[in-house]
Amino acid sequence: MKLTTLFLFALLSICSMAQDKPYFQQEVNYKIDVTLDDKTHMLKGFMELEYINNSPDTIHELLIHLWPNAYKNAKTAMSKQKIQGGDYFMLWASQKDKGYIDSLEFRINKKKADWMHYEGYEDIAYVWLDKLLAPGEKLTLTTPFVVKLPSGSISRLGHVGESYQITQWYPKPAVYDKDGWHEMPYLTQGEFYSEFGSYDVSITLPENYIVGATGDLQTESEIERMEALSKLPLPEQTFDKRDIIGEDTNGKISINRKDEFPPSSTKTKTLRYKQSNVHDFGWFADKRWIVRKGETTLPHTKKKVTTWALFTPQNSAVWENAGIKAINDGLYYYSLWSGDYPYKQCTAVDGTISAGGGMEYPNVTVIGNAGNEQSLATVIIHEVGHNWFYGILGSNERNNAWMDEGINSFFETRTMLATDTTLSALSAIGLSSAMLTKKLSLNDFSYQYMTEELVYLLSARNNNDQPMQMPSEYFTGMNYGTIVYKKTALAFNYLMQYLGEDMMNKCMSAYFDTWKFKHPGPDDLRLIFETTSGKDLSWFFDTLVNTTAKLDFKTSAIKKKNGGYDLSIYNKGEIAAPVCVDVLRDNQLKSRTWVESVDPHSWTHTQIAAQRGDVIKLNNLEGIPEYDKNNNTIRTKGVMRRMEPTTFKLLTGIDDPNHSQIFWNPLVGWNNYNKWMLGVQLHNQVLPSRNYNWSFAPMYSISTNNVNGFAKLESYNGKVGFGVRGQKFSYDTYQFLNSKRIYSYMTIVPYIKANLFSSRYEKNWSGLFMVELFDIRNWYKVEGKDFATFDASPLYHDFLPDNKRLNHIRVKANAKMKMLRSELRFTASVEGGDYTNYALFHQYSASYDYMYHGKTKSKIRTRLYYGGGNKTMLLNTSGQNGVNDYAYDGLFLGRTENNGILSNQFLKTQGGLAMPISYGFNMHLLSLNAEMDLPIKLPLSIYAGIARGVNNNTKGTTVWVVGANVPLIRNIFEVYLPIAYSKNVMNEIDSQQLKFSETIMFQLNLNMANPFELIRNLGL
């Protein structure tokens, strides 16, 4: 007890000391000489590093990042992260595609130092100091190194042919600050945190290469060469005539060619670059680049910055006009709104980049392929902007990615809006289909709405979102984009609207002046904003940043009062945030008022001079993270004041915050009993999905002269929901005496469901819990008269009394867990109820679906199923076909067919063996299925299944099957070709004299083909 108390006291003391430490940062100054061998794709270098201890602590060791080792094998942290995200390249990468750093020999002050890899991480090293480094002291660390460059298709470092992206390429000390060492493995999702200092780097390579790099070029001969190259016209004469595909009215030639690399020069050159007050050094080299030079004047100091655009002839059509302009725009506006760019040059290069559309380094950025000038400008402005948010303001990106990518995305959008009056969200996202644009009315929406609000809502409305403040490696791949980038951009735009643009600029300028060339954290940013603005911003930093709480307001009522109007506002959301109230007349803004704070789930009233307008709108602002804007409007006069204007359109569309939307789709359907059916689907389903969805799809059958179809009504917020679904179709026809009978069914299924999630950090598993109540009715039609009948199963429709139906309940749970190279799905259900007036039934089942990614691109899928029940209902070895689909879960083309191709449609449930002979068991059924993709480009796999079942008072029966599967659309349309069976199954096939074509099974799971359901259930 005393030892425990002493330990806790010591721990608290250490934590207190860490909190009380004044701010400090270490200083690192590099001198590096490196040579590129473009025949072997190797770097050979030597590094001399001056490390200055500005901390109050004595340093015992240095932690060094050896990030090229992240590309060494499939066991590194980067490889595991990529595999977890579904990129399995490192599992089967050849040695030529992998990379590493070796030939290290660390010396401290010229004395050889002991070092070792950090346990479990080959891309981190401990270097031991034989002499402790006291506060204020410095040391010199040297080492040779060799880097084998990996394929550029993996991540940021690498090459594609003889185009080189040399990033995170040299031994680099981890940051040491008041929290200690920040050693971190290299990750693709999750960027960097590095010490500031100076760089003096000399690069030797064949002399016909062009280089874009961090720092100022010191080599006079190369400066002259770059100047000369920048003045050359597009090298049209170097292209084969077949490469020229067109010419516009201005005489500008469009070029389409493969961009082969010219031979490397046998001579080499050495280029020297120097830069201070940066925390990284990247460089890029290519022999094909066209060079363009520009210049911009900074808004405050009026200093001039030289800008360079280096691009391949293949991409010259977009880079020639947009490249330099975008660099200049980014430098000017980021300087205007934060603080002037402190360096002399800025470069953007056209390169191969697999870690997103672009990647930033001090003074230089690499840009991936861009389809048009606007999308190129967007990426360049974003990456140039990282010179502030990552570069000058060097926050810890690994822990606080929103301070880097998110704030930068906010400034990117501001810059795009300030520089392009013809801004199109569609070209920015690469959408050029005029027909699709017109059908979905995409031109009706603003740039910010399309590129930011909708993207954020994809995660928020499915309740798959995560807080902005989280370590980057804990975000799902989707949320890294929707939350880190887009929600943060929306949040800061909302903050700017609230504070006012002038105050926002003052806050950002104060932040820049206080923290440039330092390592600010979230608390530092908050202190600056609250001090400068004089406002308590707890609602922003505590809630909007640190939680998944949603912002959502609605108008409630309006009435005349004291010569104006009293407006009732309800906060439906979870944030006590300010709300903007706009008064409009004829769609023109007349006044804007901010209500400072409305508590969650509470009302507030505000006085509005509404006689000046005809419409009141809450948060009538572009680019804010509000969950639902469809209830933000109220008119001052008329009936149904809160109802938005209604639009009626074909197919579907984007969620429109200013209209109530109804869509219609023409439908054509067929089954073997209703034959061809024509109908229409009316619905309100949009993207992103809303909480309240309905769909009504009547279909008229000419053959049976009746109306069929399906309908669904659901309220679901991604957490919990309830709804009701139903469908009606015919399931059998046959001659009875002198009349033709047509049997039909109708299901009505109310349900509730809840989505289960893991912690706020790791989204490796998800789950769905559901309770369904079934009401299933059957009847037949003879000579125009309808007769009510009996049961839910077409097997027994002539043997049971009238006026009976299946009433039962089903409780089920689905869960999915993602592991490093595999995925596990678990499904369990229990159901039972009144099956006719003389028999109760119950059954329970559980299945485990396991998918494993091998060392090739093939996948191995296994499924283990167990089900149990009583005498009434049967569990089937071959899954459920139309005959034994007692709850009408599926849509079958021939529900009661016993022969022919339609009888071979099945659902891969229960035993799931995919064979034409099915055995039913009323006590127990155990089955195992396995399937492996073949390592070919065609959709083809082999499968096998075995099942054993037990009936009441009988011995068990075992069956098995082996065959091939053609998954045309995985889990939706798959064709199974049985090849071999167990003897008992083969005997049945022989006795029925089935041809091979009659043994082919197919799964047509139309219920899974709903694109809205697929999008909503991305996490499951």
Side-chain angles (χ1 to χ4, degrees), residues 217-228 269-271:
L217 179 61
Q218 307 293 306
T219 310
E220 286 297 329
S221 59
E222 190 68 10
I223 293 173
E224 294 173 1
R225 177 177 179 245
M226 294 290 284
E227 288 280 354
K269 62 184 177 184
T270 298
L271 309 179

PDB file of all heavy atoms in Angstrom, residues 217-228 269-271:
ATOM      1  N   LEU A 217      18.022  27.388 -54.442  1.00  0.00           N
ATOM      2  CA  LEU A 217      19.093  26.818 -55.257  1.00  0.00           C
ATOM      3  C   LEU A 217      20.310  27.744 -55.223  1.00  0.00           C
ATOM      4  O   LEU A 217      20.200  28.948 -55.470  1.00  0.00           O
ATOM      5  CB  LEU A 217      18.592  26.635 -56.691  1.00  0.00           C
ATOM      6  CG  LEU A 217      19.571  26.079 -57.713  1.00  0.00           C
ATOM      7  CD1 LEU A 217      20.051  24.688 -57.312  1.00  0.00           C
ATOM      8  CD2 LEU A 217      18.927  26.061 -59.099  1.00  0.00           C
ATOM      9  N   GLN A 218      21.475  27.162 -54.936  1.00  0.00           N
ATOM     10  CA  GLN A 218      22.715  27.943 -54.827  1.00  0.00           C
ATOM     11  C   GLN A 218      23.612  27.800 -56.042  1.00  0.00           C
ATOM     12  O   GLN A 218      24.568  28.556 -56.206  1.00  0.00           O
ATOM     13  CB  GLN A 218      23.503  27.476 -53.596  1.00  0.00           C
ATOM     14  CG  GLN A 218      22.701  27.466 -52.299  1.00  0.00           C
ATOM     15  CD  GLN A 218      22.312  28.867 -51.859  1.00  0.00           C
ATOM     16  OE1 GLN A 218      23.166  29.753 -51.726  1.00  0.00           O
ATOM     17  NE2 GLN A 218      21.011  29.076 -51.641  1.00  0.00           N
ATOM     18  N   THR A 219      23.344  26.845 -56.927  1.00  0.00           N
ATOM     19  CA  THR A 219      24.232  26.519 -58.038  1.00  0.00           C
ATOM     20  C   THR A 219      23.937  27.433 -59.221  1.00  0.00           C
ATOM     21  O   THR A 219      22.878  27.306 -59.867  1.00  0.00           O
ATOM     22  CB  THR A 219      24.060  25.045 -58.437  1.00  0.00           C
ATOM     23  OG1 THR A 219      24.154  24.225 -57.261  1.00  0.00           O
ATOM     24  CG2 THR A 219      25.113  24.619 -59.447  1.00  0.00           C
ATOM     25  N   GLU A 220      24.864  28.342 -59.543  1.00  0.00           N
ATOM     26  CA  GLU A 220      24.615  29.364 -60.545  1.00  0.00           C
ATOM     27  C   GLU A 220      24.313  28.778 -61.917  1.00  0.00           C
ATOM     28  O   GLU A 220      23.426  29.253 -62.626  1.00  0.00           O
ATOM     29  CB  GLU A 220      25.807  30.312 -60.640  1.00  0.00           C
ATOM     30  CG  GLU A 220      25.936  31.279 -59.473  1.00  0.00           C
ATOM     31  CD  GLU A 220      24.744  32.230 -59.373  1.00  0.00           C
ATOM     32  OE1 GLU A 220      24.167  32.560 -60.425  1.00  0.00           O
ATOM     33  OE2 GLU A 220      24.393  32.625 -58.248  1.00  0.00           O
ATOM     34  N   SER A 221      25.054  27.747 -62.304  1.00  0.00           N
ATOM     35  CA  SER A 221      24.834  27.172 -63.631  1.00  0.00           C
ATOM     36  C   SER A 221      23.421  26.602 -63.758  1.00  0.00           C
ATOM     37  O   SER A 221      22.794  26.698 -64.820  1.00  0.00           O
ATOM     38  CB  SER A 221      25.876  26.084 -63.911  1.00  0.00           C
ATOM     39  OG  SER A 221      25.779  25.050 -62.920  1.00  0.00           O
ATOM     40  N   GLU A 222      22.916  26.009 -62.693  1.00  0.00           N
ATOM     41  CA  GLU A 222      21.569  25.461 -62.734  1.00  0.00           C
ATOM     42  C   GLU A 222      20.515  26.558 -62.680  1.00  0.00           C
ATOM     43  O   GLU A 222      19.443  26.435 -63.293  1.00  0.00           O
ATOM     44  CB  GLU A 222      21.351  24.473 -61.598  1.00  0.00           C
ATOM     45  CG  GLU A 222      20.065  23.669 -61.681  1.00  0.00           C
ATOM     46  CD  GLU A 222      20.032  22.677 -62.838  1.00  0.00           C
ATOM     47  OE1 GLU A 222      21.094  22.481 -63.481  1.00  0.00           O
ATOM     48  OE2 GLU A 222      18.967  22.091 -63.104  1.00  0.00           O
ATOM     49  N   ILE A 223      20.809  27.641 -61.963  1.00  0.00           N
ATOM     50  CA  ILE A 223      19.899  28.787 -61.948  1.00  0.00           C
ATOM     51  C   ILE A 223      19.727  29.327 -63.363  1.00  0.00           C
ATOM     52  O   ILE A 223      18.605  29.610 -63.819  1.00  0.00           O
ATOM     53  CB  ILE A 223      20.414  29.882 -60.997  1.00  0.00           C
ATOM     54  CG1 ILE A 223      20.374  29.386 -59.542  1.00  0.00           C
ATOM     55  CG2 ILE A 223      19.598  31.158 -61.161  1.00  0.00           C
ATOM     56  CD1 ILE A 223      21.014  30.337 -58.559  1.00  0.00           C
ATOM     57  N   GLU A 224      20.840  29.450 -64.090  1.00  0.00           N
ATOM     58  CA  GLU A 224      20.792  29.944 -65.476  1.00  0.00           C
ATOM     59  C   GLU A 224      20.031  28.971 -66.368  1.00  0.00           C
ATOM     60  O   GLU A 224      19.262  29.380 -67.246  1.00  0.00           O
ATOM     61  CB  GLU A 224      22.208  30.147 -66.000  1.00  0.00           C
ATOM     62  CG  GLU A 224      22.954  31.261 -65.281  1.00  0.00           C
ATOM     63  CD  GLU A 224      24.423  31.335 -65.688  1.00  0.00           C
ATOM     64  OE1 GLU A 224      24.838  30.517 -66.554  1.00  0.00           O
ATOM     65  OE2 GLU A 224      25.140  32.186 -65.150  1.00  0.00           O
ATOM     66  N   ARG A 225      20.241  27.676 -66.158  1.00  0.00           N
ATOM     67  CA  ARG A 225      19.540  26.670 -66.963  1.00  0.00           C
ATOM     68  C   ARG A 225      18.037  26.737 -66.729  1.00  0.00           C
ATOM     69  O   ARG A 225      17.238  26.677 -67.683  1.00  0.00           O
ATOM     70  CB  ARG A 225      20.063  25.279 -66.623  1.00  0.00           C
ATOM     71  CG  ARG A 225      19.348  24.146 -67.361  1.00  0.00           C
ATOM     72  CD  ARG A 225      19.971  22.798 -67.029  1.00  0.00           C
ATOM     73  NE  ARG A 225      19.277  21.718 -67.722  1.00  0.00           N
ATOM     74  CZ  ARG A 225      18.580  20.747 -67.165  1.00  0.00           C
ATOM     75  NH1 ARG A 225      18.506  20.693 -65.837  1.00  0.00           N
ATOM     76  NH2 ARG A 225      17.987  19.820 -67.870  1.00  0.00           N
ATOM     77  N   MET A 226      17.627  26.848 -65.477  1.00  0.00           N
ATOM     78  CA  MET A 226      16.203  26.913 -65.173  1.00  0.00           C
ATOM     79  C   MET A 226      15.574  28.170 -65.771  1.00  0.00           C
ATOM     80  O   MET A 226      14.447  28.134 -66.280  1.00  0.00           O
ATOM     81  CB  MET A 226      15.984  26.875 -63.667  1.00  0.00           C
ATOM     82  CG  MET A 226      16.374  25.566 -62.999  1.00  0.00           C
ATOM     83  SD  MET A 226      15.268  24.208 -63.406  1.00  0.00           S
ATOM     84  CE  MET A 226      13.866  24.608 -62.374  1.00  0.00           C
ATOM     85  N   GLU A 227      16.287  29.282 -65.714  1.00  0.00           N
ATOM     86  CA  GLU A 227      15.791  30.522 -66.321  1.00  0.00           C
ATOM     87  C   GLU A 227      15.583  30.329 -67.817  1.00  0.00           C
ATOM     88  O   GLU A 227      14.557  30.720 -68.378  1.00  0.00           O
ATOM     89  CB  GLU A 227      16.783  31.655 -66.080  1.00  0.00           C
ATOM     90  CG  GLU A 227      16.839  32.163 -64.657  1.00  0.00           C
ATOM     91  CD  GLU A 227      15.709  33.124 -64.337  1.00  0.00           C
ATOM     92  OE1 GLU A 227      14.947  33.483 -65.256  1.00  0.00           O
ATOM     93  OE2 GLU A 227      15.578  33.515 -63.169  1.00  0.00           O
ATOM     94  N   ALA A 228      16.554  29.698 -68.478  1.00  0.00           N
ATOM     95  CA  ALA A 228      16.460  29.487 -69.922  1.00  0.00           C
ATOM     96  C   ALA A 228      15.313  28.533 -70.260  1.00  0.00           C
ATOM     97  O   ALA A 228      14.551  28.779 -71.201  1.00  0.00           O
ATOM     98  CB  ALA A 228      17.787  28.943 -70.451  1.00  0.00           C
ATOM     99  N   LYS A 269      25.781  16.272 -62.371  1.00  0.00           N
ATOM    100  CA  LYS A 269      25.895  17.624 -61.828  1.00  0.00           C
ATOM    101  C   LYS A 269      25.555  17.564 -60.357  1.00  0.00           C
ATOM    102  O   LYS A 269      24.898  16.618 -59.888  1.00  0.00           O
ATOM    103  CB  LYS A 269      24.945  18.585 -62.553  1.00  0.00           C
ATOM    104  CG  LYS A 269      23.469  18.209 -62.398  1.00  0.00           C
ATOM    105  CD  LYS A 269      22.571  19.128 -63.220  1.00  0.00           C
ATOM    106  CE  LYS A 269      21.096  18.671 -63.112  1.00  0.00           C
ATOM    107  NZ  LYS A 269      20.213  19.484 -63.973  1.00  0.00           N
ATOM    108  N   THR A 270      26.005  18.546 -59.615  1.00  0.00           N
ATOM    109  CA  THR A 270      25.696  18.641 -58.191  1.00  0.00           C
ATOM    110  C   THR A 270      24.972  19.957 -57.940  1.00  0.00           C
ATOM    111  O   THR A 270      25.493  21.038 -58.273  1.00  0.00           O
ATOM    112  CB  THR A 270      26.966  18.561 -57.342  1.00  0.00           C
ATOM    113  OG1 THR A 270      27.592  17.296 -57.556  1.00  0.00           O
ATOM    114  CG2 THR A 270      26.637  18.707 -55.866  1.00  0.00           C
ATOM    115  N   LEU A 271      23.783  19.845 -57.375  1.00  0.00           N
ATOM    116  CA  LEU A 271      22.955  21.008 -57.069  1.00  0.00           C
ATOM    117  C   LEU A 271      22.916  21.205 -55.563  1.00  0.00           C
ATOM    118  O   LEU A 271      22.735  20.249 -54.806  1.00  0.00           O
ATOM    119  CB  LEU A 271      21.529  20.811 -57.591  1.00  0.00           C
ATOM    120  CG  LEU A 271      21.391  20.378 -59.057  1.00  0.00           C
ATOM    121  CD1 LEU A 271      19.915  20.207 -59.415  1.00  0.00           C
ATOM    122  CD2 LEU A 271      22.055  21.387 -59.981  1.00  0.00           C
TER     123      LEU A 271
END
